[in-house]
Amino acid sequence: MITVTISSNVLAQSQPEKKSNVVGLIIYGSNDCHHCIDTKKYLDDHNVAFIFYDIDKNPDALKEMLTKLRAAGISTSNLGIPVVDKKGTLYTNNGVFEEFLKKLIE
C-alpha cells in the first residue's frame, strides 16, 4: 500500500494571486464609453472582481440589462452607462460619477 500526502501549503503558494472579492459585480457598458473605462479602472484599483459586458457588441447582454432594469422599475429612457448589477442591486450612472463609484465598493 502506498500513501500519498499532499501539503496544502505548497499548493497554496504556487497558485496565482486572486482578487480579494469574489465576482459580485456585472458591468453593462461600452468599450467606447469613458465612464465605463473609468469604472473598470476604479474597480481594478480597488481589487474588486467584475464581469464586463460590452452592450454595443453583445445583444444578449443588452437584452439582459434592459430586462433587469425594467424588473427593478428603472426607466430605460435617457439611461446612462455603465449599469452595474451588484449582487442583484442595480446602479446606474445618472448622477455624480464619484458617488456612483463609491457605491460599487461599499
Side-chain angles (χ1 to χ4, degrees):
M1 174 186 222
I2 299 174
T3 304
V4 178
T5 303
I6 299 174
S7 171
S8 62
N9 290 340
V10 174
L11 292 175
Q13 291 174 359
S14 65
Q15 293 177 358
E17 184 179 338
K18 295 182 180 179
K19 301 233 181 224
S20 63
N21 298 335
V22 296
V23 177
L25 296 179
I26 301 171
I27 302 172
Y28 300 95
S30 169
N31 284 324
D32 298 323
C33 162
H34 70 90
H35 283 124
C36 300
I37 294 165
D38 291 346
T39 299
K40 292 190 295 183
K41 181 177 180 339
Y42 181 82
L43 294 173
D44 279 337
D45 290 348
H46 286 83
N47 203 31
V48 176
F50 61 87
I51 298 171
F52 178 80
Y53 291 117
D54 187 333
I55 59 172
D56 290 336
K57 297 177 183 172
N58 185 337
D60 291 334
L62 174 60
K63 182 179 177 181
E64 179 180 288
M65 178 192 77
L66 293 172
T67 299
K68 288 179 179 182
L69 288 166
R70 289 181 187 121
I74 299 172
S75 174
T76 57
S77 63
N78 198 24
L79 182 67
I81 56 174
V83 171
V84 178
D85 180 340
K86 181 180 177 183
K87 298 179 182 178
T89 301
L90 298 178
Y91 296 90
T92 59
N93 178 31
N94 288 336
V96 178
F97 185 62
E98 290 75 21
E99 295 300 318
F100 165 78
L101 292 176
K102 288 179 187 176
K103 291 177 185 175
L104 302 180
I105 61 168
E106 293 176 338

